[in-house]
Amino acid sequence: MSNADRRPQQLCWTVGLLINLRDLDTAAEYARLAYSKIYCHDTLSTCDIIIGAMCEAKRYRDALDLYHHFFNESSKVMSATCRSSNHIIRALCDLGRVDDALALLSAVSPNGINYGNVTKVLVHAGRFEEALCLLRKHPVPLACTNLIRGFLNLGNLDMANQLLEEFESKGFHADRPWEYKSESGVVRVAFIEHWFKQGKHEEAMRCYQSLLGNDRYQVFGDTGHALLQLLLSYGKKTEAWDLFHRMLDVHSETIDVMVRERFKVNSETIDMMVGECFKEGRFKEGIETFYKVKAKDKYLNLLDHRNVILRCCEHGMLPEAECFFAELSSDRSLSAIDVDTHRAMMDAYVKAGRVEDALQTANNMVDAYLSSLALWMQI
C-alpha cells in the first residue's frame, strides 16, 4: 500500500480491478487513498464504484463508513455524488432507517436522486402522507408507481386513479416523447398487476391490451420488462413471447442511438426469457432465443453473454457453455476479466472431471488480469 500509485486515474482502475476480482476489502483500502482534495472525475468514480460494490454485497456498514470518509471526514472540496448518495439512500431504506434516508435526501442535490427507494419504504411503513409530499415535490415514475401500488393494496382504487391522472396530466418530459411514453407505461403496469393479484385476469388483460394498443405509451424498456414478468408469472406465456418478439422488432428498427440505449431489450429481460426456456427444459429453444436477440442487436454486452453461459453451466451443458465462452473470449470488446464467468466454467470442468481444463481456465484468468494490470500501469 505504501508504494501504491495514487494518481486518480490509476487508482480508480486498481479499485475497479479488485472489485471485479471480488476482493472488496483490499479495494476499500486502495479507495481510501483517493485524494479527496483533488476534485476530478476519476476520484469521484473511485468513490462511487467502491460504495456501490459494498452496497451490492449488502455490506451496508462498510458502505456508510466509506461515504462518511469520502464526503464528510476528509473532503473539503468534494460534494457527495448522486450515484453514491443513491447507493446510501437505498442502503438506509433496506436497513429500515427511513428517517435517515429522508435526512440525506434533504442534504444532497435532488438532480438524479432515485426517490423510488424512499417512497417504497414509506408506503410499506404506512406513511402515505409523507410519500405523497415527496412525490409531489419530485414526481418521478417509480415513486408514483410505489404509491399507486400502496393505494391499490388498500383497495383505494379512487386514489390510485387520481394519482395516475395527476402524473399523466403534467406531461413529464414532454420534450422527450419517447421517455414520457415509457414512464407513463411503467406507472400503468401497477394496475395490470393489481387485477392479476385480485384473480381478475380478464380485467388485467383488458388493461394490458389497452396499454399495448395505445400510441401514447411504449411497451419496451422497463415497461416491457415489467409486463413480461407479469405475463409469465400468471401463465400468459403466449402473450409474453409475442410481446418479447415485438420488443425485439421495435429495438432493431430504432435508429436513434440515445433512444435505443434507453429502451433496448436489457440484459435482465434477455436472461429472463432465455431462463424461461431453460426452466421448462427447452434448452435448444433457449439458446436459439439468445442468438435471435444477438442477430437483432449487435450491442449485446458482457452480462448478456455471462448469463447464458451460467445457464448452460447450471444445466450441465458444458459443450454449449464452451462455445459461448469461446465467443466471449475472442471478442475484444467483450473479453473483460469476468470472474463469475470464469468461476462457472471452472466449476463445470471440475464436475465433468476435466481438472486440467479447470486449471487452464484459472491460469487464463490470472494471465488476463496481470496483462491488464501491466498495461494500465504503463499509462
Side-chain angles (χ1 to χ4, degrees), residues 11-68:
L11 190 60
C12 183
W13 285 339
T14 301
V15 172
L17 275 172
L18 289 166
I19 290 172
N20 198 17
L21 292 170
R22 303 297 184 266
D23 189 353
L24 294 187
D25 292 317
T26 306
E29 289 184 41
Y30 274 93
R32 286 178 180 273
L33 299 177
Y35 286 115
S36 57
K37 294 181 181 180
I38 300 177
Y39 188 88
C40 72
H41 172 76
D42 292 305
T43 298
L44 293 175
S45 294
T46 299
C47 303
D48 289 341
I49 62 175
I50 187 59
I51 290 172
M54 287 296 184
C55 287
E56 185 178 355
K58 299 193 181 299
R59 292 177 55 173
Y60 296 139
R61 183 179 295 278
D62 291 320
L64 289 165
D65 286 344
L66 286 164
Y67 186 85
H68 182 61

Side-chain angles (χ1 to χ4, degrees), residues 244 265-275 290 293 300 304:
F244 180 63
V265 180
N266 59 40
S267 300
E268 190 177 3
T269 302
I270 298 168
D271 185 47
M272 178 172 65
M273 300 309 291
V274 172
F290 179 82
V293 176
L300 289 187
D304 298 316

Side-chain angles (χ1 to χ4, degrees), residues 9-285:
Q9 189 176 54
Q10 281 68 21
L11 190 60
C12 183
W13 285 339
T14 301
V15 172
L17 275 172
L18 289 166
I19 290 172
N20 198 17
L21 292 170
R22 303 297 184 266
D23 189 353
L24 294 187
D25 292 317
T26 306
E29 289 184 41
Y30 274 93
R32 286 178 180 273
L33 299 177
Y35 286 115
S36 57
K37 294 181 181 180
I38 300 177
Y39 188 88
C40 72
H41 172 76
D42 292 305
T43 298
L44 293 175
S45 294
T46 299
C47 303
D48 289 341
I49 62 175
I50 187 59
I51 290 172
M54 287 296 184
C55 287
E56 185 178 355
K58 299 193 181 299
R59 292 177 55 173
Y60 296 139
R61 183 179 295 278
D62 291 320
L64 289 165
D65 286 344
L66 286 164
Y67 186 85
H68 182 61
H69 169 76
F70 290 134
F71 303 118
N72 295 329
E73 281 183 347
S74 59
S75 178
K76 295 182 179 179
V77 178
M78 290 195 305
S79 298
T81 65
C82 285
R83 183 174 297 177
S84 288
S85 297
N86 274 325
H87 289 314
I88 296 301
I89 288 169
R90 187 180 300 113
L92 291 169
C93 288
D94 285 351
L95 292 170
R97 295 168 55 181
V98 186
D99 292 325
D100 290 334
L102 288 170
L104 180 56
L105 268 178
S106 65
V108 299
S109 170
N111 295 327
I113 292 295
N114 187 345
Y115 294 93
N117 295 307
V118 184
T119 53
K120 183 177 181 179
V121 178
L122 286 171
V123 167
H124 183 72
R127 295 163 61 173
F128 281 81
E129 288 301 321
E130 291 173 81
L132 274 169
C133 288
L134 189 62
L135 172 65
R136 283 168 176 156
K137 286 181 182 178
H138 308 285
V140 296
L142 185 54
C144 186
T145 302
N146 289 334
L147 264 166
I148 285 176
R149 281 201 179 105
F151 284 118
L152 287 173
N153 289 337
L154 292 176
N156 193 340
L157 190 59
D158 290 338
M159 193 61 194
N161 281 317
Q162 180 183 326
L163 280 176
L164 178 64
E165 289 176 8
E166 284 184 29
F167 180 84
E168 295 192 333
S169 66
K170 292 180 180 179
F172 302 111
H173 304 309
D175 58 328
R176 290 173 285 167
W178 284 70
E179 283 193 23
Y180 172 59
K181 289 179 179 181
S182 180
E183 290 171 351
S184 298
V186 168
V187 176
R188 284 184 168 267
V189 171
F191 288 88
I192 302 173
E193 180 184 33
H194 171 71
W195 294 123
F196 271 129
K197 285 182 176 179
Q198 296 296 311
K200 299 181 179 180
H201 287 214
E202 289 186 7
E203 181 67 18
M205 292 307 294
R206 186 186 67 78
C207 289
Y208 168 70
Q209 293 298 338
S210 175
L211 177 62
L212 205 65
N214 195 324
D215 289 338
R216 291 179 60 196
Y217 312 110
Q218 296 291 350
V219 289
F220 42 88
D222 293 338
T223 303
H225 182 80
L227 287 170
L228 286 172
Q229 282 184 310
L230 279 178
L231 292 170
L232 291 174
S233 297
Y234 288 94
K236 307 296 182 181
K237 297 186 178 182
T238 300
E239 292 83 354
W241 283 104
D242 287 344
L243 174 59
F244 180 63
H245 289 119
R246 173 174 174 167
M247 290 165 65
L248 286 178
D249 289 340
V250 170
H251 173 71
S252 63
E253 293 168 2
T254 301
I255 299 174
D256 190 295
V257 175
M258 295 299 292
V259 171
R260 182 176 60 230
E261 186 60 29
R262 181 169 175 81
F263 301 112
K264 69 180 293 185
V265 180
N266 59 40
S267 300
E268 190 177 3
T269 302
I270 298 168
D271 185 47
M272 178 172 65
M273 300 309 291
V274 172
E276 179 67 19
C277 295
F278 275 69
K279 184 171 65 177
E280 297 183 348
R282 296 182 284 116
F283 305 123
K284 183 179 178 181
E285 187 176 338

